[in-house]
Amino acid sequence: MKRFAAALLMICMTFCLPAFGERSERAQIGTDVSGFCSELIDGTPVDGSVFAYRYSVVTYWATWQQGCFSQMSALNEIAVSHPEYGVFGLLAVDATSTPAAAAAFMEQNGFDFPVFTCDDIWQSVVDQTMYIPQSFIVNDHGVIVEAWQAAFTTPDTLLERLAFWSETAPAETPEPTETPEPTETPAPTETPAPDGDVNLDGSVEATDALLALRFALEMQIPTEENIAHGDMDLSGAIEATDALIILRMTMGIQ
C-alpha cells in the first residue's frame, strides 16, 4: 500500500499544474440539442422531437471502434427492458463507418433502436473531445444533463444515471402559485466541507485519491456526490490538486 501511495503521489505531483483547461464534458453539459435535424441510417428524417421521453441516452459511435460493440449491446438491453427511456445511437460517419455499414452492424447483432447521423448541432457537441464512444443523457427539453467519454460493457451505469435523473427531477412543471410572505428569514444551511471520501464508502483511503485523479484526467466523469466529497480546494471541480490533498491525508501528512 505504501508503494502504491508513493507512486500515486508522484503521478499527482506530475499533473498538479496551475490550471487545467475547461473539461470537455463540462462544455457539453447544458447544451440544447432540441433543434437538431438529421436522418436515421435508413434515410428517414429525424429531429429533436424524438426526445419526448423524460430522459434519453444518446451514444456517439463508429462501426470500426471495438469498444462500441459492448456499448451498443448495453444500449439495446436498455431499449428492450426499459421502454420508459429513449435510446439512440449517433453515428460517426466516415469512409468506413457509413450509414449502410451501421445498418448492417445493427441487423447482424439484432440491435433494434434508432441510429441517426450528426448534423451541425450534434457535431459541435461531439467535437468537444476526440473520444469514441461518447454518451449523453438528454432530458425532455432536449438539453444534455450528463456526459461521458467511455465505453460501458453493461447497462448498469447508464441505468443508474437515468434512474438518478428520473427520481430527482419533477415529473412535470407545477402550476405557479403565490408564495406567502415569510414570517421569518430561515437561517442559511451550511454546505458540508469536502472530506476526501470520493468513492463514498465511508472512509478516506488511497483509492479515493486514485479515483480523484481519474476524474482529473477525464478518465471517468464524477457525479455531484463525488465532487461534493472530493473538491478539497473548493474550485468547483475535482482536479489533480484535490487528488494530491486526499493522498496526503491518507499518508498522515496533511
Side-chain angles (χ1 to χ4, degrees), residues 40-106:
L40 298 176
I41 53 177
D42 65 1
T44 303
V46 64
D47 57 32
S49 63
V50 295
F51 299 128
Y53 305 85
R54 285 192 68 197
Y55 288 96
S56 301
V57 58
V58 178
T59 289
Y60 181 58
W61 69 291
T63 58
W64 45 259
Q65 215 288 336
Q66 292 185 349
C68 288
F69 175 80
S70 60
Q71 181 75 23
M72 299 298 277
S73 179
L75 289 178
N76 197 65
E77 287 189 49
I78 296 174
V80 171
S81 59
H82 292 272
E84 68 272 24
Y85 300 130
V87 176
F88 303 94
L90 176 61
L91 182 66
V93 177
D94 57 28
T96 302
S97 183
T98 64
F105 173 90
M106 298 290 287

Side-chain angles (χ1 to χ4, degrees), residues 117-168:
T117 57
C118 283
D119 67 341
D120 289 344
I121 291 177
W122 273 109
Q123 196 66 54
S124 68
V125 172
V126 298
D127 282 349
Q128 297 288 337
T129 175
M130 299 300 293
Y131 286 96
I132 292 180
Q134 302 177 49
S135 292
F136 311 92
I137 291 182
V138 182
N139 67 17
D140 56 0
H141 297 293
V143 175
I144 296 173
V145 297
E146 193 161 340
W148 302 275
Q149 285 79 50
F152 301 103
T153 57
T154 71
D156 297 344
T157 300
L158 288 170
L159 281 171
E160 187 274 329
R161 298 312 298 165
L162 286 165
F164 168 81
W165 286 104
S166 297
E167 291 167 2
T168 56

